[in-house]
Amino acid sequence: MQAPDAAPLALAHAGAPEVALSPQRVTDDLEALLAVLPERVREAFAAAESRDQLLEVVLDLGRCPEARYPGRAIALTDQPIDRSDLAAVVERLGHFGGDNRAGIERTLHRISAIRNRTGDVVGLTCRVGRAVYGTVAMVRDLLDSGQSLLLMGRPGVGKTTALREIARVLADDLERRVVVIDTSNEIAGDGDIPHPAIGRARRMQVARPELQHQVMIEAVENHMPEVIVIDEIGTLLEAQAARTIAERGVQLVATAHGNELANLIKNPTLCDLIGGIQSVTLGDEEARRRGSQKTVLERCADPTFPLAVEMHSRSRWLVHRDVARTVDFQLRGQPARPQVRECDASGRVRLEDAATPPAPPRLTRAEPPAPRRELRRPDPAPPLAPVPLPDPSMPAPHRRPAVEPAATTLRLFSCGISAALLDQAVRSRRYAVEQVVDLEQADAVLTVRNQLGQDPEVRRQAQLHGVPILVIKSDSLHQIQRGLERLLRRRQPDGVAPLQVLPDDAYGAMEECRLAVEQVVVPRGCPVELLPRSARVRQIQAEQVRRYGLRCAEFGSGGELRLRVFPR
């Protein structure tokens, strides 16, 4: 049965021009499936309305036959199925494979058996197979990219139908060498001659389901394909075979068990498809910077499938164009931002993009900073949120100016220093420091030991303009704070501290301590340094910290003595 041609599909995306695509056609060969059913069941489908959107017919011993449609099920007759009905259907079908599946030659229908303890068939699920031409419009641009594509979705959402059409488009339209690994003859139908729905793609059958991974490797070694199409990757061996194939430069298009990408992250058997998950122990500084625990989950390799599609329905797909980025975000507890693609009743595919934030840093891809090519760099990263301070509405004598007067501001050029950490150090201590992007405008240069050797141009320019260079041991918050203190102390006249100690405002100090403990130390598990205070006020803050069951210690010297509060 062939449905009337639908309206041409078109892509609609943020004002982009419409692109006409081939019309949709549906071919199901339903008469071949009805011919193997019992006569009284076949008569129930005499009306054309009963065949529209039919998903499967269920024949269970001792129960009335049932027809299933999207969202509903209908009893076909009042007479229950007996053993002779099941035997007659099995006789018309022939041999069932090791996965208890059989088919009808040159069709896409699938019949699955339920057996009792002795091996007798006591139930049949007769699933309608349809070749839908034109569904590939939802992901046609992804196929042109040449990257491997993974399809996910609940059973019955149309994964195999989409996979079949993708194989045809790759083989016929894009003229690539395509090999279909057809474990249950569900993609290209039963029999030795493949169904026309896969076009010029070649089909390799699998003798037993547990041998699918071997046939995948055999296809690469013997038949030189450019694309391999696989249905239902479900075991560790198959996931490993998929990675081996991807590493050889062959494009993969496959389906996997799981409704969405988050299911694969939690699945230890299939998580290698999206890069694998490993437990990593962070250093103190890295854990403090992330605001997380010291033991976190990280992606350990590049995904086998850089592209992934979540099929929520036949007309609504969620596309992850960068699986690595999505997995990193989800491991950090941040929401994924896939592209939503919907096909409306008129046949237009509408795309809705979500705003993509910058990718989170990963330990497994840490690299040394690239050598500086010129002495200008992009604007600093957005500053981190400062440690909560006392209410700014308190009287002016008890508050300290946000910055020092412009005449004493230190203009600093940083090399190999994290802009976010430098900004955090300046704001947390309220230093009179201004970051500049030109070395000629700087009063001093702050850099790390390793970076200075990799960037000799900085040293040469600093010597040319007479700008002093301060080298710190590492790019850490503590080292940056110490370096800023030394630079500011050099600029002050003798006997004048770079920052004045806050007046003895016990109320403001206690409020500062409370906010730091309740908003940072306890919920995030991160240590926090309070502002410099007098000895009397520091003693009050220390007593307040002990009431929370936490510990603290004094850091700094002279007028910069302050408390650091540690988590449990």
Side-chain angles (χ1 to χ4, degrees):
M1 183 179 70
Q2 180 169 311
D5 290 352
L9 294 177
L11 293 176
H13 183 292
E18 295 186 357
V19 181
L21 301 171
S22 58
Q24 263 193 351
R25 304 193 315 273
V26 180
T27 303
D28 54 17
D29 299 319
L30 190 56
E31 293 295 339
L33 177 63
L34 298 180
V36 302
L37 299 179
E39 183 177 357
R40 65 178 185 278
V41 176
R42 186 164 55 249
E43 292 174 353
F45 291 102
E49 296 80 6
S50 61
R51 306 184 182 192
D52 187 31
Q53 294 188 341
L54 176 65
L55 295 180
E56 59 189 15
V57 178
V58 176
L59 307 177
D60 284 336
L61 182 64
R63 294 183 178 179
C64 297
E66 187 177 84
R68 294 180 178 175
Y69 302 87
R72 60 193 178 97
I74 297 177
L76 297 176
T77 66
D78 296 333
Q79 184 178 355
I81 296 294
D82 55 29
R83 293 187 183 274
S84 61
D85 294 326
L86 295 176
V89 175
V90 171
E91 184 178 359
R92 297 188 189 106
L93 292 174
H95 176 69
F96 279 81
D99 54 358
N100 276 320
R101 292 180 179 181
I104 303 173
E105 191 167 354
R106 302 299 302 276
T107 72
L108 302 174
H109 307 306
R110 184 187 75 190
I111 294 86
S112 303
I114 299 178
R115 300 180 184 271
N116 60 13
R117 293 183 178 181
T118 60
D120 297 329
V121 176
V122 294
L124 292 173
T125 302
C126 306
R127 190 167 185 177
V128 178
R130 292 183 173 90
V132 183
Y133 299 88
T135 56
V136 76
M138 299 277 275
V139 292
R140 176 58 187 267
D141 58 316
L142 305 183
L143 301 182
D144 294 335
S145 69
Q147 294 182 300
S148 296
L149 173 64
L150 182 66
L151 303 178
M152 295 167 290
R154 57 180 173 79
V157 79
K159 297 189 299 296
T160 304
T161 300
L163 201 65
R164 189 181 298 120
E165 174 69 354
I166 287 173
R168 184 191 66 81
V169 170
L170 287 170
D172 292 356
D173 297 352
L174 300 183
E175 297 182 349
R176 296 180 183 171
R177 299 188 300 272
V178 180
V179 173
V180 176
I181 309 299
D182 204 0
T183 303
S184 301
N185 287 352
E186 189 175 359
I187 299 178
D190 203 44
D192 295 333
I193 303 177
H195 192 277
I198 66 170
R200 295 175 55 250
R202 305 180 71 186
R203 188 260 298 269
M204 292 183 66
Q205 301 186 54
V206 182
R208 299 195 306 274
E210 60 270 20
L211 300 180
Q212 175 170 293
H213 66 283
Q214 296 183 9
V215 179
M216 292 166 60
I217 300 298
E218 178 186 341
V220 178
E221 295 177 343
N222 293 351
H223 304 290
M224 204 168 60
E226 293 177 314
V227 184
I228 287 186
V229 177
I230 314 157
D231 194 13
E232 295 184 1
I233 295 179
T235 67
L236 181 59
L237 291 175
E238 292 166 5
Q240 292 174 347
R243 175 166 291 278
T244 300
I245 294 171
E247 294 294 340
R248 298 186 184 188
V250 178
Q251 181 182 1
L252 287 165
V253 181
T255 63
H257 298 293
N259 295 340
E260 55 187 16
L261 209 58
N263 299 138
L264 295 187
I265 295 177
K266 300 174 183 178
N267 189 334
T269 301
L270 301 181
C271 66
D272 186 56
L273 299 178
I274 46 91
I277 309 300
Q278 64 181 353
S279 178
V280 177
T281 302
L282 305 177
D284 293 338
E285 292 293 341
E286 178 69 11
R288 185 181 303 113
R289 184 177 68 84
R290 293 189 182 190
S292 66
Q293 299 177 348
K294 295 192 65 174
T295 302
V296 298
L297 295 178
E298 289 279 347
R299 176 171 52 86
C300 56
D302 289 335
T304 303
F305 294 88
L307 303 173
V309 174
E310 298 176 6
M311 302 175 62
H312 288 202
S313 68
R314 293 183 182 271
S315 60
R316 188 173 188 270
W317 295 5
L318 271 60
V319 177
H320 298 274
R321 301 186 69 94
D322 189 344
V323 171
R325 180 189 293 265
T326 300
V327 172
D328 290 343
F329 276 126
Q330 293 197 357
L331 292 177
R332 295 292 182 84
Q334 302 177 15
R337 294 171 172 83
Q339 184 185 66
V340 180
R341 302 188 177 189
E342 294 183 337
C343 183
D344 57 20
S346 63
R348 288 168 51 87
V349 179
R350 302 185 181 277
L351 280 65
E352 179 182 344
D353 285 309
T356 304
R362 297 181 58 249
L363 290 183
T364 55
R365 289 189 175 181
E367 298 178 356
R372 187 184 299 276
R373 299 301 179 190
E374 57 182 3
L375 298 181
R376 294 188 64 88
R377 50 186 168 77
D379 295 335
L384 301 179
V387 174
L389 298 176
D391 189 351
S393 62
M394 65 176 61
H398 299 290
R399 289 189 288 113
R400 173 196 197 165
V403 296
E404 299 293 327
T408 62
T409 299
L410 173 67
R411 292 172 298 181
L412 184 68
F413 180 88
S414 61
C415 178
I417 303 293
S418 168
L421 288 178
L422 181 58
D423 187 80
Q424 182 182 8
V426 171
R427 296 188 61 180
S428 63
R429 301 290 180 81
R430 297 189 179 184
Y431 288 145
V433 175
E434 175 188 358
Q435 298 185 51
V436 297
V437 295
D438 285 334
L439 192 146
E440 298 178 5
Q441 303 174 357
D443 298 321
V445 175
L446 184 65
T447 182
V448 292
R449 182 179 301 169
N450 295 335
Q451 183 64 24
L452 194 61
Q454 299 177 7
D455 211 345
E457 183 66 15
V458 173
R459 184 195 299 270
R460 191 183 68 81
Q461 290 288 340
Q463 292 176 351
L464 179 64
H465 297 287
V467 179
I469 299 177
L470 178 62
V471 180
I472 59 178
K473 295 180 179 179
S474 62
D475 180 20
S476 66
L477 181 61
H478 177 64
Q479 289 290 327
I480 294 173
Q481 288 173 342
R482 291 188 60 184
L484 293 177
E485 290 177 4
R486 291 180 60 185
L487 290 173
L488 290 170
R489 193 173 293 115
R490 291 178 182 178
R491 288 176 54 83
Q492 296 295 329
D494 294 339
V496 179
L499 292 174
Q500 300 297 325
V501 178
L502 289 174
D504 283 352
D505 177 18
Y507 172 79
M510 293 177 66
E511 182 68 7
E512 175 200 8
C513 183
R514 182 186 70 80
L515 291 174
V517 170
E518 295 181 358
Q519 295 187 10
V520 179
V521 178
V522 173
R524 300 184 186 177
C526 301
V528 171
E529 284 192 4
L530 306 179
L531 293 176
R533 301 283 181 176
S534 66
R536 183 182 69 86
V537 176
R538 292 199 305 275
Q539 185 176 1
I540 296 174
Q541 289 178 325
E543 180 62 28
Q544 186 180 7
V545 170
R546 283 192 288 270
R547 293 197 196 101
Y548 282 99
L550 305 175
R551 61 186 182 89
C552 60
E554 289 188 353
F555 287 85
S557 60
E560 287 295 310
L561 276 171
R562 59 198 176 274
L563 287 187
R564 181 181 295 177
V565 184
F566 298 95
R568 290 187 178 88

